[in-house]
Amino acid sequence: VLIEVYEATVAATTATSPRASNVATRGEVGTGANVLIAGFVINGTASRRMLLRGVGPTLTRFGLGQNAVLADPQLTLKDAAGVTLRTNDDWSTGGDAAIIAAAAVSGGAFALANGSKDAAMIIMLPPGAYTVQLSGVGNTTGIGIVEVYDVDP
């Protein structure tokens, strides 16, 4: 399934104009060509601060069984040319865990437990097209959510 969402503002984007603040999709995360992918575009001339998350284990808080969810998600961010810009596995083990947690609050995202196997990254990106790929560490499979938040103030 392909779902596309566009901001259709004709005038130049300003701090007060509408913008898509986040997009998320839940699905079965497979392997190879069957990983879960979210594409997004940053328009304009300014870089944007983006919060990207791949959630699996935390979904048990929302009624999904432990055996149904993606146990150890991994995120891969790619540019339009397919070049890998960054990867993340186990969001809270990096040096930017506190920044990610604060950005999730400001972006309206549900909290990820410190030490969870969920994946997340925060990154400044220049205008362009990007994809975020959600896969399972060790080619594992299960239900996951891939989320893209614009958390630029």
Side-chain angles (χ1 to χ4, degrees):
V1 172
L2 175 64
I3 298 172
E4 297 180 341
V5 178
Y6 297 92
E7 177 195 342
T9 303
V10 177
T13 301
T14 66
T16 59
S17 67
R19 66 182 166 102
S21 59
N22 74 294
V23 146
T25 188
R26 184 186 108 169
E28 184 68 33
V29 179
T31 61
N34 296 316
V35 298
L36 195 56
I37 299 172
F40 64 99
V41 175
I42 298 173
N43 286 319
T45 59
S47 294
R48 305 293 300 174
R49 186 171 151 216
M50 306 299 292
L51 172 64
L52 311 173
R53 303 193 326 167
V55 181
T58 298
L59 295 179
T60 59
R61 291 190 349 222
F62 303 102
L64 294 173
Q66 187 73 32
N67 293 331
V69 300
L70 185 63
D72 193 355
Q74 179 172 328
L75 281 179
T76 303
L77 173 64
K78 295 187 178 229
D79 66 12
V83 174
T84 298
L85 302 176
R86 188 181 286 180
T87 61
N88 178 265
D89 175 30
D90 303 342
W91 78 276
S92 63
T93 60
D96 55 359
I99 297 167
I100 289 171
V105 170
S106 72
F110 57 85
L112 301 176
N114 194 23
S116 77
K117 292 284 192 182
D118 298 297
M121 63 180 81
I122 191 157
I123 186 169
M124 286 295 290
L125 292 172
Y130 301 92
T131 59
V132 183
Q133 299 178 357
L134 178 59
S135 60
V137 172
N139 286 323
T140 55
T141 61
I143 298 170
I145 291 180
V146 62
E147 302 173 312
V148 178
Y149 293 86
D150 181 343
V151 291
D152 208 62

